[in-house]
Amino acid sequence: ISLSTGCFFMAIGNLMKKKKTVSCLSCTAVALMLLAGCICAEVNDFVDLNNNRYGNWCLFLGSSLLLSTAVFYICFHITKNLTWLSVLGKETVVIMGFHYGLAALLRKTAKAFISNKYLLGTAVFIGCFPLLLMLVCLSWLLKKHFRRRK
């Protein structure tokens, strides 16, 4: 994604956050946004953000803004009832920083004990849940230990 496109979407996101746009929407409006966004995405040509190919710019903007806003609305209402999901969102930076190394360690450890590749995949998948829990705990400890003192 190009710098200008990324800055544009960040500015729109910040504006929507300041105006509290997502919390003011109704379910009907979100359903219409999903429908209109899907139509725009279907009508638009192939989109490749990596190579800055957006197809029709108006259709690209329409689909991306409508669908992103609808997804934000859905996530906003889901996280009200699922506090564990909001905890994961708050710990994203730590999770992203450590997940690759810990996942590689989990994979190597599982390979040492399991030779069947199908069982290995299952073991790694099941091992991801304690890994995620461990990362959230690590994040909590880091925040507690490195909290700013006034």
Side-chain angles (χ1 to χ4, degrees), residues 109-123:
T109 305
K111 271 186 182 178
F113 293 105
I114 301 170
S115 60
N116 185 327
K117 72 176 186 178
Y118 298 109
L119 289 176
L120 177 66
T122 305

Side-chain angles (χ1 to χ4, degrees), residues 85-99:
L85 195 58
S86 60
V87 168
L88 284 180
K90 291 175 186 171
E91 311 305 335
T92 299
V93 172
V94 173
I95 291 171
M96 286 179 64
F98 288 98
H99 87 281

